[in-house]
């Protein structure tokens, strides 16, 4: 029987104290659906969908009014510097949800249910040994879909 351990893959991570601009570049370069953030002791701290991270870059007015969300070329140029000098912790949305974490023996259906509850396309797979937590990898929505429906 397939378990979360079997479906987990290496997944790029950043730490809360890493540079936010470098984290954004990682998302773009690797085409990541979400940012997997670790705390100072390498324990999953947050898994934030890339779309939620965009909310920090778009002015608050643009969240409510689609007309104000139209971004001019001048504003786009200003956005490039928004993350400069900030840490990943500074970039995370204010209402950070706890990350979706599965155990190594969890079933694919349990992982899918967790992913749905968390409304996040990435679930971390961790192993606990007493108080220590080890990140084994992550399961993305596309990996789960392939498991359930087969390859392309």
């Amino acid at each position: 029987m397939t378990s979360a351990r079997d479906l987990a893959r290496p997944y790029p991570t950043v730490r809360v104290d890493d540079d936010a601009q470098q984290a954004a570049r990682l998302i773009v370069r690797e085409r990541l659906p979400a940012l997997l953030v670790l705390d100072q002791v390498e324990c999953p701290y947050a898994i934030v969908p890339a779309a939620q991270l965009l909310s920090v870059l778009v002015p608050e007015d643009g969240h409510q009014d689609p007309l104000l969300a139209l971004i001019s070329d001048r504003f786009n140029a200003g956005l490039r510097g928004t993350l400069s000098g900030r840490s990943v912790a500074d970039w995370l949305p204010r209402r950070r949800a706890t990350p979706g974490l599965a155990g190594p023996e969890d079933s694919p259906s349990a992982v899918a249910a967790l992913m749905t509850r968390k409304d996040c396309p990435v679930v971390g797979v961790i192993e606990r040994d007493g108080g220590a937590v080890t990140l084994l990898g992550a399961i993305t929505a596309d990996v789960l879909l392939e498991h359930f429906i087969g390859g392309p």
Side-chain angles (χ1 to χ4, degrees):
M1 185 147 122
T2 304
S3 67
R5 179 189 309 272
D6 300 324
L7 295 175
R9 305 285 182 268
Y11 193 89
T13 61
V14 297
R15 291 176 44 147
V16 291
D17 53 356
D18 285 346
D19 180 74
Q21 198 155 31
Q22 292 303 317
R25 290 184 197 286
L26 176 68
I27 292 170
V28 172
R29 185 177 58 250
E30 300 291 327
R31 302 212 179 278
L32 300 176
L35 189 63
L36 176 50
V37 183
L38 306 178
D39 63 16
Q40 290 85 353
V41 294
E42 304 293 313
C43 184
Y45 175 78
I47 300 175
V48 187
Q52 281 186 353
L53 293 169
L54 283 172
S55 70
V56 177
L57 296 175
V58 175
E60 195 70 33
D61 295 343
H63 295 199
Q64 304 303 321
D65 186 342
L67 291 175
L68 293 175
L70 295 174
I71 301 172
S72 70
D73 289 338
R74 193 177 95 197
F75 180 71
N76 279 331
L79 274 180
R80 289 190 181 95
T82 302
L83 297 177
S84 182
R86 296 176 73 186
S87 71
V88 169
D90 295 334
W91 186 26
L92 295 177
R94 286 184 210 136
R95 288 178 260 148
R96 176 189 65 85
T98 57
L101 300 173
E105 303 310 318
D106 287 356
S107 70
S109 294
V111 174
L114 176 61
M115 194 175 282
T116 301
R117 264 194 325 277
K118 290 291 187 175
D119 193 25
C120 186
V122 178
V123 168
V125 179
I126 61 167
E127 192 163 53
R128 295 182 190 274
D129 184 14
V133 173
T134 302
L135 179 66
L136 301 177
I139 302 172
T140 57
D142 62 310
V143 168
L144 271 179
L145 283 168
E146 183 177 0
H147 170 75
F148 289 124
I149 65 171

